[in-house]
Amino acid sequence: MPAGEQKNIRTVSILTRRLKEGKTYEDFRRAWFHTTGFAVKGKDAGGGKAELLTFINIFDPREIIVLGFAATTLEQLKDALDIDVKVRGENPLDDVIEPVIGRAFALQVAGDDFSAAGEIPYSPAAIDGNKTDMAEVAEDLRALAGIYATAAKKRDATNEARKQAR
């Protein structure tokens, strides 16, 4: 990678929320929907992407699962999380979901296509044909843990301030 150029990383956020009794997915969607995008004006997009996929649990239709896929630089991810904290703080979901939210955040280390018929030979971890460097993964995990922890503190402070104002 050329000097000064930041690499893109791919992450997934897995958020599970449970609808309050009597609330519908449409109630959730209206409260949850992001009317502000995660891109930051003036920042090099560099292929940055944020896509959220929403699912309803087959065995528990009150459970909503949102998978957030991002391909960003670390700096873009920090900025996107700041946007998310601000938007969620201004548009809380308290009226439609139970207070406990499941949160998991992960870094992609491999992309495998198992859709072929028959045997598939083993291949080392790679993304788009680029072998995964596990030493870089360890560094990225440390950086990401800090970024997500900082965002969580901001989110918790925003939520606490909102509750105190009630």
Side-chain angles (χ1 to χ4, degrees):
M1 176 176 322
E5 186 178 319
Q6 292 188 39
K7 68 176 176 176
N8 274 2
I9 56 169
R10 295 179 187 181
T11 57
V12 63
S13 302
I14 305 161
L15 303 170
T16 57
R17 300 171 175 104
R18 186 167 171 74
L19 295 173
K20 287 186 173 182
E21 191 69 46
K23 295 296 181 178
T24 66
Y25 169 72
E26 186 57 30
D27 296 328
F28 168 82
R29 184 165 177 83
R30 287 190 185 284
W32 166 87
F33 193 84
H34 292 259
T35 57
T36 300
F38 292 116
V40 179
K41 290 181 181 174
K43 299 281 180 167
D44 175 24
K49 182 176 177 160
E51 179 180 20
L52 284 78
L53 305 178
T54 306
F55 301 84
I56 295 175
N57 183 330
I58 294 166
F59 298 103
D60 180 2
R62 286 179 51 204
E63 183 179 62
I64 307 298
I65 304 160
V66 177
L67 304 179
F69 295 93
T72 64
T73 65
L74 291 173
E75 185 179 340
Q76 289 168 332
L77 180 62
K78 286 180 202 173
D79 292 338
L81 288 172
D82 283 344
I83 291 168
D84 187 51
V85 167
K86 182 179 183 304
V87 168
R88 188 55 49 233
E90 294 169 352
N91 302 286
L93 301 174
D94 302 348
D95 293 339
V96 294
I97 63 166
E98 300 291 343
V100 175
I101 299 173
R103 291 182 174 93
F105 306 99
L107 172 66
Q108 183 181 1
V109 296
D112 298 291
D113 182 356
F114 294 110
S115 55
E119 289 191 29
I120 300 172
Y122 174 81
S123 63
I127 300 173
D128 296 334
N130 299 311
K131 187 177 177 196
T132 301
D133 179 334
M134 292 310 289
E136 280 187 26
V137 167
E139 290 175 22
D140 291 342
L141 287 172
R142 283 190 291 277
L144 287 165
I147 290 169
Y148 280 102
T150 298
K153 285 180 185 173
K154 289 177 184 177
R155 180 196 65 237
D156 292 347
T158 300
N159 287 339
E160 189 58 35
R162 186 182 70 253
K163 288 176 185 175
Q164 293 294 330
R166 284 185 176 181

PDB file of all heavy atoms in Angstrom, residues 43-55:
ATOM      1  N   LYS A  43     -14.167  13.830   3.606  1.00  0.00           N
ATOM      2  CA  LYS A  43     -13.289  12.681   3.870  1.00  0.00           C
ATOM      3  C   LYS A  43     -13.197  11.878   2.586  1.00  0.00           C
ATOM      4  O   LYS A  43     -14.175  11.698   1.875  1.00  0.00           O
ATOM      5  CB  LYS A  43     -13.869  11.786   4.977  1.00  0.00           C
ATOM      6  CG  LYS A  43     -14.034  12.478   6.307  1.00  0.00           C
ATOM      7  CD  LYS A  43     -12.723  12.568   7.022  1.00  0.00           C
ATOM      8  CE  LYS A  43     -12.926  13.262   8.367  1.00  0.00           C
ATOM      9  NZ  LYS A  43     -11.837  13.145   9.251  1.00  0.00           N
ATOM     10  N   ASP A  44     -12.004  11.360   2.305  1.00  0.00           N
ATOM     11  CA  ASP A  44     -11.834  10.517   1.122  1.00  0.00           C
ATOM     12  C   ASP A  44     -12.701   9.284   1.272  1.00  0.00           C
ATOM     13  O   ASP A  44     -12.525   8.507   2.206  1.00  0.00           O
ATOM     14  CB  ASP A  44     -10.359  10.121   0.980  1.00  0.00           C
ATOM     15  CG  ASP A  44     -10.141   9.150  -0.158  1.00  0.00           C
ATOM     16  OD1 ASP A  44     -10.961   9.110  -1.093  1.00  0.00           O
ATOM     17  OD2 ASP A  44      -9.140   8.418  -0.108  1.00  0.00           O
ATOM     18  N   ALA A  45     -13.650   9.100   0.361  1.00  0.00           N
ATOM     19  CA  ALA A  45     -14.541   7.944   0.432  1.00  0.00           C
ATOM     20  C   ALA A  45     -13.759   6.651   0.297  1.00  0.00           C
ATOM     21  O   ALA A  45     -14.054   5.677   0.959  1.00  0.00           O
ATOM     22  CB  ALA A  45     -15.611   8.031  -0.645  1.00  0.00           C
ATOM     23  N   GLY A  46     -12.753   6.602  -0.567  1.00  0.00           N
ATOM     24  CA  GLY A  46     -11.887   5.434  -0.683  1.00  0.00           C
ATOM     25  C   GLY A  46     -12.640   4.123  -0.735  1.00  0.00           C
ATOM     26  O   GLY A  46     -12.190   3.124  -0.198  1.00  0.00           O
ATOM     27  N   GLY A  47     -13.802   4.109  -1.341  1.00  0.00           N
ATOM     28  CA  GLY A  47     -14.565   2.871  -1.407  1.00  0.00           C
ATOM     29  C   GLY A  47     -15.353   2.603  -0.146  1.00  0.00           C
ATOM     30  O   GLY A  47     -15.874   1.523   0.040  1.00  0.00           O
ATOM     31  N   GLY A  48     -15.426   3.575   0.764  1.00  0.00           N
ATOM     32  CA  GLY A  48     -16.174   3.384   2.000  1.00  0.00           C
ATOM     33  C   GLY A  48     -17.616   3.000   1.722  1.00  0.00           C
ATOM     34  O   GLY A  48     -18.226   3.498   0.789  1.00  0.00           O
ATOM     35  N   LYS A  49     -18.135   2.098   2.534  1.00  0.00           N
ATOM     36  CA  LYS A  49     -19.493   1.625   2.319  1.00  0.00           C
ATOM     37  C   LYS A  49     -20.110   1.248   3.659  1.00  0.00           C
ATOM     38  O   LYS A  49     -19.426   0.731   4.529  1.00  0.00           O
ATOM     39  CB  LYS A  49     -19.463   0.402   1.395  1.00  0.00           C
ATOM     40  CG  LYS A  49     -20.828  -0.141   1.077  1.00  0.00           C
ATOM     41  CD  LYS A  49     -20.767  -1.277   0.087  1.00  0.00           C
ATOM     42  CE  LYS A  49     -22.191  -1.785  -0.095  1.00  0.00           C
ATOM     43  NZ  LYS A  49     -22.402  -2.525  -1.274  1.00  0.00           N
ATOM     44  N   ALA A  50     -21.394   1.513   3.799  1.00  0.00           N
ATOM     45  CA  ALA A  50     -22.143   1.098   4.985  1.00  0.00           C
ATOM     46  C   ALA A  50     -23.494   0.570   4.519  1.00  0.00           C
ATOM     47  O   ALA A  50     -24.269   1.297   3.910  1.00  0.00           O
ATOM     48  CB  ALA A  50     -22.330   2.266   5.948  1.00  0.00           C
ATOM     49  N   GLU A  51     -23.741  -0.688   4.781  1.00  0.00           N
ATOM     50  CA  GLU A  51     -25.007  -1.316   4.392  1.00  0.00           C
ATOM     51  C   GLU A  51     -25.582  -2.030   5.603  1.00  0.00           C
ATOM     52  O   GLU A  51     -24.870  -2.757   6.286  1.00  0.00           O
ATOM     53  CB  GLU A  51     -24.771  -2.320   3.260  1.00  0.00           C
ATOM     54  CG  GLU A  51     -26.035  -3.021   2.816  1.00  0.00           C
ATOM     55  CD  GLU A  51     -25.795  -4.019   1.684  1.00  0.00           C
ATOM     56  OE1 GLU A  51     -24.659  -4.457   1.486  1.00  0.00           O
ATOM     57  OE2 GLU A  51     -26.791  -4.362   1.017  1.00  0.00           O
ATOM     58  N   LEU A  52     -26.852  -1.801   5.867  1.00  0.00           N
ATOM     59  CA  LEU A  52     -27.511  -2.455   6.987  1.00  0.00           C
ATOM     60  C   LEU A  52     -28.608  -3.373   6.461  1.00  0.00           C
ATOM     61  O   LEU A  52     -29.434  -2.949   5.650  1.00  0.00           O
ATOM     62  CB  LEU A  52     -28.108  -1.412   7.949  1.00  0.00           C
ATOM     63  CG  LEU A  52     -27.071  -0.726   8.832  1.00  0.00           C
ATOM     64  CD1 LEU A  52     -26.317   0.342   8.079  1.00  0.00           C
ATOM     65  CD2 LEU A  52     -27.707  -0.153  10.066  1.00  0.00           C
ATOM     66  N   LEU A  53     -28.574  -4.612   6.908  1.00  0.00           N
ATOM     67  CA  LEU A  53     -29.585  -5.594   6.534  1.00  0.00           C
ATOM     68  C   LEU A  53     -30.371  -5.944   7.789  1.00  0.00           C
ATOM     69  O   LEU A  53     -29.794  -6.228   8.833  1.00  0.00           O
ATOM     70  CB  LEU A  53     -28.926  -6.865   5.966  1.00  0.00           C
ATOM     71  CG  LEU A  53     -27.970  -6.667   4.786  1.00  0.00           C
ATOM     72  CD1 LEU A  53     -27.364  -8.003   4.381  1.00  0.00           C
ATOM     73  CD2 LEU A  53     -28.682  -6.019   3.614  1.00  0.00           C
ATOM     74  N   THR A  54     -31.692  -5.938   7.679  1.00  0.00           N
ATOM     75  CA  THR A  54     -32.550  -6.182   8.832  1.00  0.00           C
ATOM     76  C   THR A  54     -33.302  -7.492   8.648  1.00  0.00           C
ATOM     77  O   THR A  54     -33.816  -7.779   7.569  1.00  0.00           O
ATOM     78  CB  THR A  54     -33.550  -5.023   9.015  1.00  0.00           C
ATOM     79  OG1 THR A  54     -32.811  -3.795   9.080  1.00  0.00           O
ATOM     80  CG2 THR A  54     -34.362  -5.183  10.276  1.00  0.00           C
ATOM     81  N   PHE A  55     -33.357  -8.267   9.734  1.00  0.00           N
ATOM     82  CA  PHE A  55     -33.997  -9.578   9.734  1.00  0.00           C
ATOM     83  C   PHE A  55     -34.961  -9.673  10.902  1.00  0.00           C
ATOM     84  O   PHE A  55     -34.769  -9.026  11.935  1.00  0.00           O
ATOM     85  CB  PHE A  55     -32.950 -10.693   9.888  1.00  0.00           C
ATOM     86  CG  PHE A  55     -31.922 -10.703   8.796  1.00  0.00           C
ATOM     87  CD1 PHE A  55     -30.815  -9.880   8.860  1.00  0.00           C
ATOM     88  CD2 PHE A  55     -32.073 -11.533   7.694  1.00  0.00           C
ATOM     89  CE1 PHE A  55     -29.860  -9.875   7.855  1.00  0.00           C
ATOM     90  CE2 PHE A  55     -31.121 -11.538   6.683  1.00  0.00           C
ATOM     91  CZ  PHE A  55     -30.016 -10.711   6.762  1.00  0.00           C
TER      92      PHE A  55
END
